[in-house]
Amino acid sequence: MSADHKSVGEMLAATVPMAGTLNLEFLETTAERAVVRLPDQPAYHNHVGGPHAGAMFTLAESASGAIVLAAFGDQLGRAVPLAVNAEIAYKKLAMGVVTATATLGRPVADVVAELDAGQRPEFPVRIDITREDGAVTGEMTVLWTLRPNDFGK
C-alpha cells in the first residue's frame, strides 16, 4: 500500500466512520481504479456465514468513494462529491474475504469541464464485488455528482 492509497483510506475512514468500522483495506486508489477489501469478520456475517449484504454495500460504496476522491480530490475546494443513486445486485453467495473493484464511468476531464462551465456534473462508478476465487458475487453502480460549493446561490 502506497502513501496515496493509505491517505485516501484514512481520509474516508475519518470522514465516513462506517468505512473504518468495517476495517476496510484500501489496496489501490487511482483515478482509474480503486480496490478495497473487506476482511472475513464474524461480527459482520449474515445468516449463512458470509458477509452481510449491508457490509458488502458499504464495501462497494466505499470503493466508489475512493475512486471519486482519487479522481476529483483536487476539486474539493470548489465542489462536494455526493452519491446521488446506488443500485446493487447480489449475484452469487459471498463467503470469506470479498473485494470491491471500482471503475470510473466517465473521463475525469469531461466531468471537470462541466464543473468549469458552472454545471453540476454526474458520473457513474461501476463496482464488482468478488470472492477470493475470483467469482463475481455482486455488482453495483453508484451515480455521483460534484455539487459546486456555490450551487443554488
Side-chain angles (χ1 to χ4, degrees):
M1 179 185 295
S2 77
D4 290 312
H5 303 192
K6 187 175 181 183
S7 64
V8 168
E10 288 173 345
M11 184 177 185
L12 269 171
T15 58
V16 183
M18 187 64 172
T21 298
L22 291 177
N23 301 308
L24 299 180
E25 300 167 358
F26 293 83
L27 306 178
E28 178 182 340
T29 52
T30 68
E32 292 78 35
R33 186 171 114 127
V35 181
V36 182
R37 180 171 44 216
L38 173 65
D40 187 19
Q41 302 168 84
Y44 303 114
H45 281 178
N46 59 20
H47 62 290
V48 294
H52 188 277
M56 291 193 336
F57 184 98
T58 300
L59 166 69
E61 198 275 341
S62 296
S64 78
I67 199 170
V68 169
L69 285 176
F72 303 107
D74 61 338
Q75 304 299 319
L76 295 180
R78 66 182 185 139
V80 177
L82 297 170
V84 174
N85 185 319
E87 184 174 311
I88 191 164
Y90 300 100
K91 300 291 191 178
K92 291 186 179 186
L93 184 62
M95 298 297 283
V97 174
V98 289
T99 302
T101 302
T103 54
L104 202 57
R106 288 185 61 201
V108 171
D110 292 354
V111 174
V112 172
E114 286 182 18
L115 188 62
D116 289 343
Q119 299 172 9
R120 182 176 170 165
E122 291 187 350
F123 52 94
V125 175
R126 176 167 166 82
I127 309 100
D128 287 329
I129 305 168
T130 56
R131 299 187 303 226
E132 286 188 298
D133 67 1
V136 176
T137 64
E139 297 172 341
M140 184 174 185
T141 300
V142 180
L143 182 65
W144 285 84
T145 188
L146 294 179
R147 188 199 68 185
N149 289 339
D150 61 352
F151 190 75
K153 287 186 177 178

